[in-house]
């Protein structure tokens, strides 16, 4: 195993997850605000699941996202 290659691939994957997840959340909030479905002071429960079947990993992270 090449530790440098492994480390870089994990970081690339996590960066892509972070960037695309943030973009999806921002777009959904923006669209809901524009449609009048949100007041702008809500809090939302959030959950992210990481799954790597080949390593038998299933890890869930839960949190909250506040608009104000």
């Amino acid at each position: 195993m090449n530790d440098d290659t492994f480390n870089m691939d994990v970081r690339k994957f996590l960066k892509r997850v972070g960037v695309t997840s943030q973009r999806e959340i921002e777009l959904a909030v923006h669209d809901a605000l524009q449609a009048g479905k949100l007041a702008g002071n809500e809090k939302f429960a959030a959950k992210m699941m990481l799954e790597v079947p080949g390593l038998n990993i299933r890890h869930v992270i839960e949190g909250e996202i506040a608009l104000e």
Side-chain angles (χ1 to χ4, degrees):
M1 179 172 106
N2 184 317
D3 285 337
D4 290 335
T5 299
F6 171 62
N7 189 336
M8 289 300 293
D9 274 0
V10 169
R11 287 175 183 256
K12 279 191 237 179
F13 174 75
L14 293 174
K15 183 176 181 180
R16 191 171 74 199
V17 167
V19 169
T20 58
S21 298
Q22 181 174 349
R23 182 174 39 226
E24 289 297 318
I25 293 167
E26 288 172 346
L27 286 172
V29 167
H30 180 265
D31 290 348
L33 285 168
Q34 290 294 321
K37 295 179 180 178
L38 297 177
N41 60 353
E42 290 85 357
K43 292 182 181 180
F44 300 99
K47 184 187 295 189
M48 177 68 73
M49 185 179 69
L50 169 68
E51 190 171 359
V52 184
L55 297 173
N56 200 27
I57 293 173
R58 186 170 185 188
H59 180 72
V60 176
I61 300 166
E62 296 186 53
E64 184 176 82
I65 298 171
L67 300 185
E68 198 172 79

